[in-house]
């Protein structure tokens, strides 16, 4: 655990954003997202300003637009839902290319797509510039509930172990003639999932008791915390983007 676990979204490089402490990046991302969500959907220009802020941070973090766009496909199910809103929405309707669309539905679709996309981009930039280990350290420094920190820590440490065990169980079933592609063999697959859950539960209990016997108090050990907490200057640097986003949101609320 001390060596850290790199997730698939993390881009290991040297940039001003990478060098910021994790807690300031987490707080900035949350504050930026709140500002985006609070923006009236009619203020179309405001979302363009947010996109420019995201692009500036991506450039500083050396994250390409192609990387962001490719991984933004995670929001496609929400986009598909948004596409249906203009057709099923009620209220005033407008003619677009011979099709009657709901004005409120159009605004609703735009609201979901614009805010969802900006939120996804902000989250991707956080993931690209912060390792999983640092994310947990940052949450701990922000005084998040310790039960959540403990769950995330155990997941980080043992996710690879559980994935490997699930893979071995699958190979064992296939070597004995099981083929989970057929519906009538789903019972064996479900039994395997249940067995994996029980093994994970028992292993987690044993590991937790072993940690308690070695002096674990429910907080991350100091040696795992890495570098010192963020300085005032680093907080001010990280606050630049959310402060600008809050200014845009306030202006949009006044003008709309």
């Amino acid at each position: 655990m001390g060596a850290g676990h790199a997730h698939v979204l993390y881009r290991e490089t040297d940039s001003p954003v990478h060098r910021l402490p994790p807690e300031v990046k987490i707080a900035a991302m949350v504050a930026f997202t709140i500002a985006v969500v609070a923006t009236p959907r009619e203020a179309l220009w405001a979302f363009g300003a947010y996109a420019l802020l995201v692009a500036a941070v991506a450039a500083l973090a050396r994250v390409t637009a192609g990387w962001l766009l490719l991984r933004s496909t995670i929001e496609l199910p929400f986009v598909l839902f948004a596409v249906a809103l203009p057709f099923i929405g009620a209220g005033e309707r407008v003619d677009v290319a011979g099709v009657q669309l709901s004005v409120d539905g159009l605004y609703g679709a735009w609201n979901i797509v614009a805010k969802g996309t900006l939120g996804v981009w902000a989250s991707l930039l956080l993931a690209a510039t912060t390792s999983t280990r640092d994310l947990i350290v940052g949450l701990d420094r922000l005084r998040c509930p310790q039960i959540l920190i403990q769950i995330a820590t155990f997941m980080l440490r043992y996710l690879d172990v559980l994935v490997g065990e699930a893979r071995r169980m699958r190979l064992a079933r296939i070597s004995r003639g099981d083929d989970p592609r057929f519906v009538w063999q789903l019972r064996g697959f479900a039994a395997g999932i249940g067995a994996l859950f029980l093994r994970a539960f028992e292993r987690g209990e044993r590991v937790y008791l072993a940690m308690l016997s070695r002096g674990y108090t429910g907080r991350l050990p100091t040696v795992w915390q890495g570098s010192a907490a963020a300085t005032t200057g680093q907080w001010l640097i990280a606050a630049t983007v959310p402060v600008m986003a809050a200014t845009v949101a306030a202006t949009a609320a006044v003008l709309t």
Side-chain angles (χ1 to χ4, degrees):
M1 186 182 295
H5 288 234
H7 53 74
V8 294
L9 296 177
Y10 179 66
R11 294 171 62 87
E12 189 171 357
T13 185
D14 184 36
S15 75
V17 182
H18 282 77
R19 290 192 293 269
L20 285 174
E23 62 268 28
V24 303
K25 290 186 281 187
I26 295 173
M29 188 273 291
V30 173
F32 173 80
T33 305
I34 291 174
V36 171
V37 172
T39 304
R41 62 187 185 181
E42 295 82 5
L44 306 184
W45 64 269
F47 298 99
Y50 295 142
L52 290 177
L53 289 175
V54 172
V57 175
L60 285 174
R62 299 177 184 173
V63 175
T64 63
W67 187 90
L68 274 178
L69 293 175
L70 179 63
R71 283 152 184 81
S72 298
T73 54
I74 190 175
E75 65 168 339
L76 280 180
F78 302 98
V79 172
L80 294 176
F81 170 75
V83 169
L85 289 180
F87 299 96
I88 63 177
E92 182 184 355
R93 308 189 79 81
V94 62
D95 185 83
V96 178
V99 180
Q100 292 293 317
L101 301 178
S102 167
V103 174
D104 191 59
L106 286 171
Y107 274 121
W110 161 254
N111 193 53
I112 292 174
V113 173
K115 294 181 179 180
T117 300
L118 289 167
V120 168
W121 285 350
S123 301
L124 286 173
L125 286 176
L126 175 64
T129 58
T130 313
S131 66
T132 310
R133 171 186 178 278
D134 287 342
L135 284 174
I136 294 178
V137 171
L139 292 173
D140 184 67
R141 290 176 180 173
L142 291 172
R143 296 294 186 267
C144 288
Q146 280 302 305
I147 185 63
L148 298 180
I149 300 296
Q150 293 180 42
I151 292 173
T153 304
F154 276 99
M155 182 187 71
L156 168 65
R157 179 63 183 87
Y158 289 101
L159 182 61
D160 291 340
V161 176
L162 294 178
V163 170
E165 189 163 354
R167 186 180 297 113
R168 290 191 296 272
M169 292 173 64
R170 176 178 176 275
L171 291 176
R173 290 199 311 271
I174 294 176
S175 66
R176 289 167 175 79
D178 180 64
D179 191 347
R181 293 177 298 177
F182 297 105
V183 176
W184 56 84
Q185 292 181 320
L186 287 178
R187 180 179 179 181
F189 175 77
I193 295 296
L196 182 63
F197 171 78
L198 292 177
R199 292 184 186 181
F201 181 83
E202 293 172 353
R203 178 184 285 111
E205 189 174 23
R206 291 195 302 269
V207 170
Y208 181 68
L209 292 175
M211 292 174 65
L212 290 178
S213 68
R214 290 165 173 79
Y216 180 64
T217 60
R219 292 191 64 86
L220 297 176
T222 305
V223 68
W224 209 65
Q225 292 279 356
S227 58
T231 63
T232 303
Q234 290 171 324
W235 277 107
L236 291 176
I237 292 173
T240 303
V241 171
V243 167
M244 294 177 67
T247 303
V248 171
T251 305
V254 171
L255 296 179
T256 303

